[in-house]
Amino acid sequence: MINLEKIRQDFPLLQKPINGRKTVYFDNACMSLKPLSVIKAINEYYSDYPACAGRSSHRLGAIVTQKVAEARKKLAEFIGAKKTEEIIFTRNTTEGINLVAHSLKLKSGDIILGTDKEHNSNLIPWQILTKKIGVIYKALPSKSDNTFDLEKFESMMSGKIKLVAMGQTSNLDGTSLPAKEIIKIAHQHGALVLLDAAQTAPHKKINVVDLAVDFLAFSGHKMLGPTGTGVLYGKKSLLENLEPFLTGGETVEYSTYDDHKLLPIPEKFEAGLQDYAGIIGLGVATDYLRSIGYEKIAEHEYKLNKYITEEILKIPKLKIIGPADPRLRSGIVSFYIEGIDSHQIAILLDETANIMIRSGQHCVHSWFNAKGIKTSARASLYFYNTLEEAEIFVKSLNKVMKIL
Amino acid sequence: MFCIIALIVFSILGIFSATHRALALEALDCVFRRVTLRPCNTGFKERAKNKILAKLLERSEMAARLFNKHFELLSWIFFILMITSTFWVVKGGYNFYLYGSCNGLNQSGFCAFDPNGENNKVTQLNNLGICSPEQQSEKNLTLNGVDLSTFPKINTDSKNTIVFIGCYECDYSRKAYPEIRELAKKEKANLIFAHYPAITNTSYLSTLNYCAYNKNPEQFWTLNDYLFAADKEKLFDQIFIDQALAQFDFNAAEINQCVNSAETKAATGAQFQELKKTGLYGTPTIFINGQVFVGPKPYRVYRSALKKFIFF
């Protein structure tokens, strides 16, 4: 059991009422709250050792270098990577995916396979490449309940597919795909696999070695870390053969007027001054998550999701996107009601009960456009949310629905 | 429609508040988009609507439901109400500037710029037996058939004529008199002064007024200004009156003799009867080129009437 009372003390926002009411923060799929330990780590960097890592030989530089190295080690351990150099710090998942897209030496006719509900971050970079160099992008249709169709996937796989680039857990409906099986099948057909783990890393244990995934990208801001932080994992052998996407300071061993020599991984991919405070904070965020434990997080989210799902399905005409079983939807409840604007629901929940949810197309415009659904409202839960908050949400949603 | 209302309302509120200024800008963007036949996709309308809806929901579920269901209709109603009220506000401001009352010339009723109705107040005449509202109407006020030849006058060769009917002891007459005097001086207008004893025990001042003017028309106006400026209580003090007469080169004994003469009493009695023909019901009542003003108006009102500004 999660000690909610103790945990919630660590999140300043949860202690601050707005207009005399508690804030119910259910927009965790977009951005998680930050615990005091992360905030403290960021503050410490700026107040105690606000220097450069690597390039400065003074004592403050040495501290930063050491802290960043520690953070890299923590992140490697966090996803089960064996080598710390396989961890490349990025600004977010989007940058990680773009790095792969622009560095992978794809050529005309290469096929990239995604799903029909990819986040724009894992769709637009490939669409750009289709126009730029003529790669082909294909979207694998999901089953009728929006879950992954492994059989269809297997039937679509061929030697022409160069890369399988898929969201491991959907930000639309919270469903996760069978990553291990997908990777196995893809490798059998000679394809590489890139997983967008932005919605997985905050909620589920990842082990890149066990998965045998080639590339995996995730963001810090969804998993208690600072904004503007992210990680791209890549197998060492693959990363070493990739051309850097961004170049410049901190990426070369030396340069002359005519030439340069790139540093080995991960430095060759980390051009320019890094967000040291963010990286250090992200390392601390992994400590916090590990201290809670993923099993407890998943169980707690399921409990809340189950309650909300059961209660809101009583609302006439309300439809939940994705499978009915909340266990398959992680901490996400995405729903819509025909004829009712989801933005209106979101604003009214905010205005009447300080409930923060997301509304719109959640950067999955392609799926909404294909299905002819305008928008959805999305409540996304995390381990610090309580059953009481879920009850407030259900009660407030029912109240709002009476007037719409 | 909603954006237009919001633009106007928030623009006004934005004068005082930066938050509303930002909302006004957002509304402006929305209006601009609609005017240029583009969809208003800023979400402004939705946010504003739902903020109102949320407040309503806290008070009444039914009201919130009706508001949500009939939002467009309500927007139109409020738009029409706003246009109408804006028209009345502008008209009220215009009236106040020109007539000293939001409701029009000599019209009483609430006026935000003159909440106590000071510009319409008069000293009611309690000696005419006038009671009904019909009788107390400026529509009945006229100078037709009224002989003003025996009353004090100045600048008689002017084409503009001001007739001031007031009494020395009445507060509102005392307020209006200096304005009228100044206007007559500046514009060299023909000013006819008629003392009407709205308060009965000041009748003797009519005879004093009559005698002083007939003895010395030029010095009369100085004495008149002095009496209007003097403490009201002193107007009943014979010593004060005598001193005032002496101060302005009048022979007090001679004036007092005139005041007490039967001829003077008959003349002022005739004047009183002439004034009653005007239909006046309170003082001050002022005619400027035939246009009647009841109650003490601001200087600009008298000036506008004399200068024949629009609608005069």
Side-chain angles (χ1 to χ4, degrees), chain A residues 16 60 63 85 143 156 173 177 196 221 239 258 269 302 311 325 330 352 363 387 401:
Chain A
K16 288 178 191 168
L60 293 183
I63 295 172
E85 61 266 34
K143 288 182 185 173
M156 280 181 80
D173 56 19
L177 43 75
D196 166 355
H221 66 269
L239 290 175
D258 306 312
F269 291 110
Y302 166 68
E311 291 300 317
D325 183 359
S330 183
T352 56
C363 293
L387 191 60
M401 290 314 300

Side-chain angles (χ1 to χ4, degrees), chain A residues 21 341 343-345 347-348 351-352 396 399-400 402-404, chain B residues 46-47 49-51 53-55 57-58 61 64-65 68-69:
Chain A
R21 272 194 298 246
D341 181 11
H343 293 303
Q344 194 174 12
I345 294 173
I347 297 169
L348 284 172
E351 291 291 332
T352 56
S396 302
K399 191 177 173 186
V400 163
K402 282 181 187 171
I403 64 161
L404 296 180
Chain B
E46 286 69 27
R47 271 182 294 121
K49 173 187 168 184
N50 289 310
K51 274 182 182 288
L53 200 54
K55 297 278 178 205
L57 186 58
E58 283 173 9
E61 194 180 298
R65 197 185 304 127
N68 184 54
K69 196 175 173 187

Side-chain angles (χ1 to χ4, degrees), chain B:
Chain B
M1 192 49 54
F2 181 81
C3 293
I4 298 172
I5 301 172
L7 174 62
I8 297 167
V9 173
F10 290 137
S11 297
I12 295 165
L13 294 174
I15 297 167
F16 312 102
S17 137
T19 315
H20 290 100
R21 225 167 289 150
L23 290 169
L25 277 174
E26 226 177 305
L28 176 67
D29 180 48
C30 191
V31 170
F32 183 70
R33 282 176 170 275
R34 296 302 291 264
V35 169
T36 51
L37 304 176
R38 289 178 296 162
C40 177
N41 55 7
T42 61
F44 172 74
K45 179 182 160 185
E46 286 69 27
R47 271 182 294 121
K49 173 187 168 184
N50 289 310
K51 274 182 182 288
I52 300 168
L53 200 54
K55 297 278 178 205
L56 276 176
L57 186 58
E58 283 173 9
R59 286 162 179 79
S60 163
E61 194 180 298
M62 183 184 276
R65 197 185 304 127
L66 287 172
F67 177 83
N68 184 54
K69 196 175 173 187
H70 304 294
F71 180 72
E72 279 301 321
L73 176 69
L74 287 168
S75 293
W76 273 103
I77 291 171
F78 278 107
F79 178 70
I80 292 164
L81 286 175
M82 191 190 70
I83 294 294
T84 311
S85 59
T86 303
F87 170 78
W88 285 109
V89 166
V90 171
K91 194 182 175 196
Y94 175 81
N95 281 339
F96 180 74
Y97 183 79
L98 281 184
Y99 307 126
S101 165
C102 302
N103 303 291
L105 182 59
N106 303 322
Q107 297 299 307
S108 55
F110 179 74
C111 175
F113 305 116
D114 180 22
N116 296 322
E118 292 294 333
N119 296 341
N120 280 318
K121 283 184 176 168
V122 291
T123 306
Q124 293 284 336
L125 309 187
N126 53 13
N127 53 0
L128 291 178
I130 294 170
C131 308
S132 71
E134 289 75 25
Q135 285 173 300
Q136 293 192 8
S137 168
E138 80 284 354
K139 286 175 189 166
N140 300 329
L141 294 168
T142 181
L143 289 176
N144 291 337
V146 180
D147 180 11
L148 297 170
S149 60
T150 61
F151 289 96
K153 53 183 76 68
I154 195 169
N155 302 331
T156 49
D157 55 346
S158 171
K159 61 179 180 180
N160 292 315
T161 301
I162 303 169
V163 178
F164 182 97
I165 306 173
C167 78
Y168 292 112
E169 208 215 352
C170 304
D171 290 334
Y172 306 116
S173 297
R174 292 166 74 86
K175 192 176 170 188
Y177 177 80
E179 311 281 16
I180 291 296
R181 275 287 282 156
E182 191 187 343
L183 182 69
K185 265 185 205 167
K186 276 189 179 169
E187 304 298 333
K188 295 187 171 52
N190 176 17
L191 173 62
I192 300 169
F193 174 78
H195 174 257
Y196 189 96
I199 299 166
T200 44
N201 61 359
T202 60
S203 298
Y204 82 99
L205 289 170
S206 296
T207 51
L208 177 76
N209 172 284
Y210 176 81
C211 293
Y213 179 70
N214 284 314
K215 290 290 176 191
N216 189 346
E218 284 184 14
Q219 276 301 91
F220 163 79
W221 290 102
T222 322
L223 173 69
N224 209 39
D225 295 348
Y226 184 73
L227 292 177
F228 267 109
D231 285 346
K232 287 194 291 182
E233 292 75 24
K234 290 185 177 174
L235 296 174
F236 303 100
D237 183 348
Q238 187 59 49
I239 298 168
F240 172 77
I241 296 292
D242 288 349
Q243 284 172 348
L245 288 168
Q247 187 181 338
F248 298 107
D249 300 333
F250 289 97
N251 184 329
E254 195 180 7
I255 295 293
N256 285 332
Q257 192 182 357
C258 170
V259 164
N260 293 322
S261 74
E263 188 190 334
T264 301
K265 285 195 166 50
T268 53
Q271 283 183 333
F272 187 70
Q273 291 308 315
E274 288 300 318
L275 291 179
K276 281 169 75 175
K277 288 182 193 170
T278 61
L280 89 164
Y281 53 87
T283 57
T285 295
I286 299 154
F287 294 86
I288 299 178
N289 292 331
Q291 179 73 52
V292 66
F293 297 87
V294 181
K297 312 297 181 196
Y299 178 79
R300 66 170 188 279
V301 176
Y302 298 133
R303 187 169 171 273
S304 297
L306 198 71
K307 292 274 194 183
K308 295 186 176 60
F309 283 169
I310 33 179
F311 289 114
F312 276 109

Side-chain angles (χ1 to χ4, degrees), chain A residues 109-160:
Chain A
D110 286 345
I111 299 174
I112 316 296
L113 182 63
T115 68
D116 59 352
K117 50 180 183 177
E118 293 302 329
H119 190 286
N120 284 333
S121 297
N122 194 28
L123 175 65
I124 310 303
W126 311 117
Q127 287 182 344
I128 299 284
L129 288 185
T130 61
K131 288 176 185 165
K132 211 170 174 180
I133 58 172
V135 301
I136 299 161
Y137 182 80
K138 287 186 177 176
L140 174 73
S142 300
K143 288 182 185 173
S144 58
D145 65 352
N146 242 20
T147 53
F148 190 80
D149 192 339
L150 194 62
E151 281 179 23
K152 181 84 178 168
F153 169 72
E154 202 162 5
S155 70
M156 280 181 80
M157 281 306 296
S158 71
K160 284 185 181 176

